[in-house]
């Protein structure tokens, strides 16, 4: 038997109300903050991601779904959206049409990670990118937007962590300081950290290895070596968050797993989802547009994992979704009246009602059971003695109240149900 690929998940009809709920809130919040939706292709030229996200990152190094197509081009299923959004901005000259482009997306992403709770190989993100301004109020807006959206799902155990990675020049200086600190401890580092020492030294703060963590505990922090401008930028972000009443913690070890960040980085984590606790991550990336062939366009953004948010909602039982109901189930009392029942069904559906009927000549009892299973508000009984007297019976399933209505008086049936 062929099964879904490991790390991918079917989203079944029973799951859809929660997904719709989340997607609707995202769309509504994005509207309030004036972000416009963008949809880009699921696969791109591999170079977009290797250059955009960084060769030394885990994503590019070990997680991308990369393959050579029949024309010998290397293509990759997108592991994230920021690089794609930047490509689209450059390709369609969006930055020339307006100074500030505020864009959002809800899309599937692909990373070949080891699957576990909250970590999939095809997962979904919603996210936003604002391209065209270096104003710290936009950094804050991203954090507020992400926080406000996640709050709407009723999740309570949330921590907003923020940090600043400064600009490349101060970061390079700091890396030298960090390397100096680690020099005589190098032999005690894990193999992975030894490798990262050269390629991506900041990620040593993310190591899961206990010895590494012990060593990094007393390491000098980038936040203590920021240039003045970055410090001032960070101060302003914090001020705005304070006045917006977004509770936050400063986490000087928050380095994030993608190379494009400058200045502000942030994550929103939840204690309700186990080890994969980051519901959302983002930050400023002032150099990426230029690196990918565009002008210098300062930008900031975030992305949140929908599956992880759903896990948090489940643990906290925070989603109060309305019960699914059907407006009307048409019960055919006589088998010969199937066509008539279908005709009623169509008329009601065309009037905008949600209607179901029996397609397999089942007994009256089975049809009533089905009406109950589908949570029908009304049943329309077609047939029997009433029908011989030119009537149909409309039954309110909640009150069990029945009304006989002239069988041609569709308008009146629709009115009652509506
Ligand atoms: P990221 O931190 O790689 O950032 O991913 C953002 C969120 O996507 C994570 O916090 C997590 O909730 C979810 N996520 C990531 N990987 C998986 C996975 N394998 N399974 C389930 N959920 C996952 C980015 O992707 C950046 N593009 C964010 C950004 C936008 N920065 C600036 N603009």
């Amino acid at each position: 038997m062929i099964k879904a690929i490991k790390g991918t998940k079917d989203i079944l009809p029973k799951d859809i109300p929660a997904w719709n709920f989340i997607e609707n809130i995202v769309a509504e919040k994005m509207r309030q903050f004036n972000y416009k939706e963008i949809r880009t292709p699921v696969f791109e030229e591999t170079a977009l991601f290797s250059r955009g996200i960084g060769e030394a990152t885990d994503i590019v190094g070990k997680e991308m779904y990369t393959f050579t197509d029949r024309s010998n081009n290397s293509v990759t299923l997108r592991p994230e959206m920021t690089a794609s959004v930047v490509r689209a901005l450059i390709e369609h000259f969006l930055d020339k049409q307006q100074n500030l482009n505020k864009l959002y997306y809800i899309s599937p992403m692909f990373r070949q990670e080891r699957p576990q709770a909250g970590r999939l190989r095809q997962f979904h993100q919603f996210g936003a990118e604002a391209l065209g301004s270096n104003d710290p109020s936009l950094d804050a807006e991203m954090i507020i937007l992400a926080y406000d959206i996640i709050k709407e799902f009723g999740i309570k155990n949330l921590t907003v962590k923020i940090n600043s990675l400064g600009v490349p020049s101060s970061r390079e200086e700091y890396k030298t300081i960090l390397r100096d600190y680690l020099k005589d401890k190098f032999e005690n580092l894990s193999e992975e950290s030894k490798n990262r020492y050269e390629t991506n030294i900041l990620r040593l703060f993310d190591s899961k290895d206990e010895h590494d963590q012990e060593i990094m505990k007393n390491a000098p922090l980038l936040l203590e070596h920021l240039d003045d401008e970055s410090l001032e930028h960070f101060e302003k972000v914090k001020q705005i968050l304070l006045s917006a009443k977004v509770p936050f913690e400063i986490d000087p070890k928050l380095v994030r797993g993608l190379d494009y960040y400058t200045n502000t980085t942030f994550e929103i984590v939840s204690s309700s989802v186990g080890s994969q606790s980051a519901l959302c991550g983002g930050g400023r990336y002032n150099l990426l547009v230029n690196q990918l062939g565009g002008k210098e366009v300062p930008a900031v953004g975030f992305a949140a994992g929908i599956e992880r948010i759903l896990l948090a909602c489940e643990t906290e039982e925070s989603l109060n979704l309305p019960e699914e109901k059907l407006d009307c189930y048409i019960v055919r009392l006589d088998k010969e009246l199937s066509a008539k029942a279908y005709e009623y069904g169509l008329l009601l559906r065309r009037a905008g009602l949600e209607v179901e009927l029996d397609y397999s000549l089942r007994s009256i009892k089975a049809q009533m059971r089905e009406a109950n299973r589908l949570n029908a508000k009304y049943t329309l009984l077609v047939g029997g003695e009433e029908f011989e007297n030119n009537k149909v019976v409309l039954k309110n399933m909640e009150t069990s109240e029945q009304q006989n209505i002239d069988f041609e008086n569709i308008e009146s049936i629709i009115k009652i149900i509506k």
Side-chain angles (χ1 to χ4, degrees), residues 375-391:
N375 253 328
K377 292 188 241 171
Y378 286 89
T379 43
L380 185 70
L381 312 168
V382 182
E385 214 175 279
E386 285 83 1
F387 200 75
E388 276 162 28
N389 295 321
N390 299 344
K391 302 272 182 207

Side-chain angles (χ1 to χ4, degrees), residues 80 82 111 113 118 120 125 129 256 260-261 278-279 301 305:
E80 61 110 46
T82 312
R111 296 183 194 176
E113 299 190 74
L120 290 123
Q125 287 184 342
E129 315 288 345
R256 309 266 307 126
Y260 47 61
Y261 293 110
L279 299 186

Side-chain angles (χ1 to χ4, degrees), residues 325-331 348 353-357 367-368 370-381 393-403 405 412-418:
K325 284 198 183 267
L326 186 75
D327 289 322
C328 184
Y329 191 91
I330 310 216
V331 178
L348 298 190
L353 296 171
E354 198 175 338
V355 175
E356 192 49 289
L357 42 78
Q367 292 179 73
M368 287 308 284
E370 185 66 359
N372 279 321
R373 196 185 66 81
L374 294 172
N375 253 328
K377 292 188 241 171
Y378 286 89
T379 43
L380 185 70
L381 312 168
V393 180
L394 188 62
K395 179 175 178 186
N396 182 323
M397 297 295 278
E398 212 170 283
T399 61
S400 293
E401 212 179 299
Q402 301 201 153
Q403 299 182 53
I405 301 171
S412 155
I413 297 172
I414 292 168
K415 218 172 180 180
I416 296 170
I417 299 178
K418 271 192 172 164

Side-chain angles (χ1 to χ4, degrees), residues 339-356:
K340 195 73 202 161
Y342 196 84
E343 204 179 295
Y344 278 114
L346 193 56
L347 286 167
L348 298 190
R349 284 169 172 166
R350 285 184 170 162
L353 296 171
E354 198 175 338
V355 175
E356 192 49 289

Side-chain angles (χ1 to χ4, degrees), residues 332-341 358 360-364 367 382-384:
R332 171 197 19 72
L333 302 180
D334 305 315
K335 291 200 168 122
E336 303 73 56
L337 287 173
S338 290
K340 195 73 202 161
D358 175 52
S360 38
L361 292 180
R362 281 185 292 187
S363 67
I364 298 172
Q367 292 179 73
V382 182

